Amino acid sequence: MKRIGVLTGGGDAPGLNAVLRAVVRTAERVYGAEVIGILDGFKGLLDGRFRHVGGQDVRELIRMGGTVLGTTNRDNPFACPGENPGDTPIDRSAECLENARKAGFDALIIIGGDGTLRIASDLGRQGLNVIGVPKTIDNDLASTDYTFGFWTAIDTATEALDRLRDTAESHHRVMILEVMGRHAGWIALHAGIAGAADVILIPEIPYDPHSVAKTVVRCQERGRASSLLVVAEGAMPRGGEMAVVAVDAITGVKRLGGAGERLARELEALTRCDVRVTVLGHLQRGGSPVAFDRILATRFGEAAVHVAMAGRFNRMIRLADGCIEDVDLEEAVRKVKLVDPSGPGGALLKSARALGIAFGDE
């Protein structure tokens, strides 16, 4: 194998550039192979926009957030938008395979979350030699212990909680921090414990507003005039639904948002507290990756090259009990990892409850 393509798809996450750096250095130094970057995700593969990426190009990338290749989460080659709004989506996946063939890619390393890797799996079934590298700040891929970008997002959220605590105590307020995660509560759970939150609300445990209000009142009765709450964007009250701000006209994906404001209105109606909301939003995606994410991304990138060179395609790189392995790609993206009291998140939930952190369900 002499030429490897690399593509970054979906939302950006700290560590994407570190993967690219590891791919380039391993391919060049160990195998003497060339690496070609595909610009702007699957959109670049459809348009044939490629560029050579060499050792000098990636020298400083390990500390950089974002992705120098560019990315998009709106260009599924199996469902491309028609010329006019409302047109039936068009399957252009055959163009991806043809462009990869013309470019001389012996293998294509695709870095992304569950949506991107499902597309990669579908392309693999059509004959493209793909290797998947899991990426998401949500940490919701079931087949890997962690995805890079997750710990940087937690670090960002924890720092925000530390800062919010200062102003909460100064003004005797209830402060709500809304964090990302979509249908998974991993960011909220980890950051809430690290930031010593009083309440953590996650999608997996629908909350009772009255229960949350009681927790806030109990804090006041104990002499504390302020409270700190972490709310995942997908958190919902019992019998309610996730807060949605918009639906993408192209992909149909619901854009979550407003969970924090909804909770604030509920608490103001149930208590006499001054409640303020901070939405952390895309701040969780940017910035320099923390050391753990740099190392994990580097290990993933190196392993992806070795797997490609061994001719094992339609595989995904993962972290399992501290070891880097490769598993079947189609199987790897089949399940989403949620915070399950009887699963991997059970011990963490138990620890949080033992510390007195409430989840709005009692």
Short mmCIF file of all heavy atoms in Angstrom, two decimals, residues 9 18 26 42 46 52 56 68 70 75-76 93 101 119 127 160-161 183 192 199 225 231 234 288 320 322:
data_model
loop_
_atom_site.label_atom_id
_atom_site.label_comp_id
_atom_site.label_asym_id
_atom_site.label_seq_id
_atom_site.Cartn_x
_atom_site.Cartn_y
_atom_site.Cartn_z
N GLY A 9 -15.09 13.73 9.56
CA GLY A 9 -16.50 14.02 9.33
C GLY A 9 -17.24 14.27 10.62
O GLY A 9 -16.77 13.97 11.72
N ALA A 18 -4.57 15.61 15.97
CA ALA A 18 -3.58 14.67 16.52
C ALA A 18 -3.66 13.33 15.82
O ALA A 18 -2.64 12.66 15.60
CB ALA A 18 -3.80 14.51 18.02
N THR A 26 3.25 7.89 11.01
CA THR A 26 3.37 6.42 10.96
C THR A 26 3.47 5.93 9.52
O THR A 26 4.30 5.07 9.21
CB THR A 26 2.18 5.76 11.66
OG1 THR A 26 2.06 6.25 13.00
CG2 THR A 26 2.34 4.24 11.70
N PHE A 42 -17.12 14.17 3.72
CA PHE A 42 -17.62 13.46 2.54
C PHE A 42 -17.92 14.42 1.39
O PHE A 42 -17.93 14.00 0.23
CB PHE A 42 -18.88 12.66 2.90
CG PHE A 42 -18.60 11.50 3.82
CD1 PHE A 42 -19.05 11.50 5.13
CD2 PHE A 42 -17.87 10.40 3.37
CE1 PHE A 42 -18.79 10.44 5.97
CE2 PHE A 42 -17.60 9.34 4.21
CZ PHE A 42 -18.06 9.35 5.51
N LEU A 46 -16.85 13.69 -2.47
CA LEU A 46 -17.76 13.80 -3.61
C LEU A 46 -17.23 14.77 -4.66
O LEU A 46 -17.38 14.54 -5.87
CB LEU A 46 -19.14 14.26 -3.13
CG LEU A 46 -20.02 13.22 -2.44
CD1 LEU A 46 -21.22 13.89 -1.78
CD2 LEU A 46 -20.49 12.17 -3.44
N HIS A 52 -2.10 16.61 -0.63
CA HIS A 52 -1.05 15.82 0.04
C HIS A 52 -0.78 16.42 1.42
O HIS A 52 -0.73 17.64 1.59
CB HIS A 52 0.23 15.84 -0.80
CG HIS A 52 1.41 15.26 -0.09
ND1 HIS A 52 1.62 13.90 0.02
CD2 HIS A 52 2.44 15.86 0.57
CE1 HIS A 52 2.74 13.69 0.69
NE2 HIS A 52 3.25 14.86 1.04
N GLN A 56 6.05 17.67 7.43
CA GLN A 56 6.21 19.09 7.79
C GLN A 56 4.85 19.74 8.04
O GLN A 56 4.75 20.67 8.84
CB GLN A 56 6.94 19.83 6.67
CG GLN A 56 8.43 19.53 6.60
CD GLN A 56 9.16 19.97 7.86
OE1 GLN A 56 9.59 19.15 8.68
NE2 GLN A 56 9.29 21.28 8.04
N VAL A 68 -7.69 20.65 10.50
CA VAL A 68 -7.14 21.40 9.37
C VAL A 68 -7.69 20.91 8.04
O VAL A 68 -7.58 21.60 7.03
CB VAL A 68 -5.60 21.32 9.36
CG1 VAL A 68 -5.01 22.00 10.59
CG2 VAL A 68 -5.12 19.88 9.23
N GLY A 70 -10.91 20.28 7.62
CA GLY A 70 -12.29 20.72 7.51
C GLY A 70 -13.24 19.55 7.69
O GLY A 70 -12.86 18.38 7.51
N ASP A 75 -23.44 16.24 4.81
CA ASP A 75 -23.21 15.70 3.46
C ASP A 75 -23.09 14.19 3.49
O ASP A 75 -22.00 13.63 3.37
CB ASP A 75 -21.96 16.34 2.85
CG ASP A 75 -22.17 17.81 2.52
OD1 ASP A 75 -22.82 18.09 1.49
OD2 ASP A 75 -21.72 18.66 3.29
N ASN A 76 -24.22 13.52 3.63
CA ASN A 76 -24.27 12.06 3.55
C ASN A 76 -24.34 11.67 2.08
O ASN A 76 -25.32 11.98 1.40
CB ASN A 76 -25.50 11.55 4.29
CG ASN A 76 -25.62 10.04 4.28
OD1 ASN A 76 -24.91 9.35 3.55
ND2 ASN A 76 -26.54 9.52 5.08
N SER A 93 -23.27 7.76 -3.60
CA SER A 93 -22.18 6.99 -2.99
C SER A 93 -21.24 6.41 -4.05
O SER A 93 -20.03 6.27 -3.80
CB SER A 93 -22.74 5.88 -2.11
OG SER A 93 -23.60 5.02 -2.86
N ARG A 101 -11.07 5.66 -6.23
CA ARG A 101 -10.32 4.83 -7.18
C ARG A 101 -9.41 5.71 -8.06
O ARG A 101 -8.23 5.40 -8.26
CB ARG A 101 -11.28 4.04 -8.07
CG ARG A 101 -10.60 3.05 -9.01
CD ARG A 101 -11.56 2.51 -10.04
NE ARG A 101 -12.05 3.56 -10.93
CZ ARG A 101 -11.34 4.05 -11.95
NH1 ARG A 101 -10.12 3.61 -12.20
NH2 ARG A 101 -11.85 5.00 -12.72
N ILE A 119 -21.86 5.81 7.81
CA ILE A 119 -21.63 6.05 6.39
C ILE A 119 -20.39 5.29 5.92
O ILE A 119 -20.39 4.67 4.86
CB ILE A 119 -21.48 7.56 6.11
CG1 ILE A 119 -22.78 8.29 6.43
CG2 ILE A 119 -21.07 7.80 4.66
CD1 ILE A 119 -22.67 9.80 6.38
N GLY A 127 -17.44 -1.75 -1.17
CA GLY A 127 -16.14 -2.08 -1.73
C GLY A 127 -15.01 -1.13 -1.41
O GLY A 127 -13.86 -1.38 -1.79
N ALA A 160 -15.92 25.79 33.65
CA ALA A 160 -17.08 26.69 33.63
C ALA A 160 -17.84 26.61 34.95
O ALA A 160 -18.30 27.63 35.49
CB ALA A 160 -17.99 26.34 32.47
N LEU A 161 -17.99 25.40 35.49
CA LEU A 161 -18.68 25.24 36.77
C LEU A 161 -17.93 25.94 37.90
O LEU A 161 -18.54 26.57 38.77
CB LEU A 161 -18.85 23.75 37.10
CG LEU A 161 -19.92 23.01 36.30
CD1 LEU A 161 -19.81 21.51 36.53
CD2 LEU A 161 -21.31 23.50 36.67
N HIS A 183 -28.27 12.58 23.30
CA HIS A 183 -29.06 11.59 24.05
C HIS A 183 -28.29 10.93 25.19
O HIS A 183 -28.85 10.09 25.89
CB HIS A 183 -29.58 10.51 23.10
CG HIS A 183 -30.45 11.06 22.01
ND1 HIS A 183 -31.79 11.31 22.19
CD2 HIS A 183 -30.17 11.42 20.74
CE1 HIS A 183 -32.32 11.79 21.08
NE2 HIS A 183 -31.35 11.87 20.18
N GLY A 192 -20.34 17.27 36.28
CA GLY A 192 -21.08 17.58 37.49
C GLY A 192 -20.40 17.06 38.75
O GLY A 192 -20.37 17.74 39.78
N VAL A 199 -26.98 19.32 41.63
CA VAL A 199 -27.93 18.56 40.84
C VAL A 199 -27.33 18.29 39.47
O VAL A 199 -26.70 19.17 38.87
CB VAL A 199 -29.27 19.32 40.66
CG1 VAL A 199 -30.22 18.53 39.77
CG2 VAL A 199 -29.91 19.62 42.01
N ALA A 225 -26.86 29.91 50.23
CA ALA A 225 -27.75 30.77 49.44
C ALA A 225 -27.61 30.54 47.95
O ALA A 225 -28.30 31.18 47.16
CB ALA A 225 -27.46 32.24 49.76
N VAL A 231 -27.09 20.57 33.54
CA VAL A 231 -28.19 20.00 32.77
C VAL A 231 -27.67 19.60 31.38
O VAL A 231 -27.14 20.43 30.64
CB VAL A 231 -29.34 21.03 32.61
CG1 VAL A 231 -30.50 20.41 31.83
CG2 VAL A 231 -29.80 21.52 33.96
N GLY A 234 -30.04 17.14 26.45
CA GLY A 234 -31.11 16.19 26.17
C GLY A 234 -31.95 15.83 27.39
O GLY A 234 -32.83 14.98 27.30
N SER A 288 -7.46 23.53 22.64
CA SER A 288 -6.39 22.54 22.60
C SER A 288 -6.78 21.30 23.39
O SER A 288 -7.29 21.40 24.51
CB SER A 288 -5.11 23.14 23.19
OG SER A 288 -4.06 22.22 23.16
N ALA A 320 -10.00 -0.58 24.66
CA ALA A 320 -10.68 -1.57 25.50
C ALA A 320 -9.76 -1.98 26.64
O ALA A 320 -8.71 -2.59 26.41
CB ALA A 320 -11.07 -2.80 24.67
N GLY A 322 -7.69 -0.29 28.32
CA GLY A 322 -6.36 0.28 28.19
C GLY A 322 -5.60 -0.15 26.94
O GLY A 322 -4.53 0.37 26.67
#
